[in-house]
């Protein structure tokens, strides 16, 4: 059984490794618009914008994940608009 000092040292080592390892980026990938009018842009390496220009839309994705500090913004024409994202 490890002593408390070894456990604390192990935690510090793990924290130190996390500090030097860059975060994995995971923005949604492989979009294919199935229905509707949708424009997908990536203004930076951590931002994705999905501009929906029809009231209804369907987008198929290869993967859809968002990690810190990333963001995905959906811009829709009205409060009654809907988009289906399939992964």
């Amino acid at each position: 059984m490890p002593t408390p000092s070894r456990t604390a040292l192990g935690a510090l080592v793990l924290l130190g490794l996390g500090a030097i390892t860059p975060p994995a980026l995971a923005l949604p990938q492989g979009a294919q618009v199935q229905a509707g009018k949708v424009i997908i842009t990536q203004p930076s390496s951590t931002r994705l914008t999905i501009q929906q220009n029809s009231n209804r839309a369907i987008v198929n994705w290869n993967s859809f994940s968002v990690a810190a500090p990333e963001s995905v913004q959906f811009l829709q024409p009205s409060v009654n608009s809907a988009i289906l994202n399939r992964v």
Side-chain angles (χ1 to χ4, degrees), residues 18-83:
I20 59 172
T21 304
L25 300 179
L27 284 174
Q29 301 289 316
Q32 294 179 341
V33 177
Q34 182 72 33
K37 296 180 182 177
V38 179
I39 299 169
I40 301 166
T41 58
Q42 189 172 347
S44 75
S45 63
T46 59
R47 288 182 45 214
L48 190 72
T49 302
I50 301 165
Q51 173 74 48
Q52 180 179 341
N53 295 315
S54 58
N55 279 331
R56 302 284 182 259
I58 300 172
V59 180
N60 297 325
W61 299 90
N62 289 340
S63 66
F64 197 103
S65 295
V66 183
E70 299 171 330
S71 67
V72 175
Q73 181 181 30
F74 285 87
L75 304 172
Q76 296 180 296
S78 77
V79 296
N80 298 316
S81 299
I83 188 167

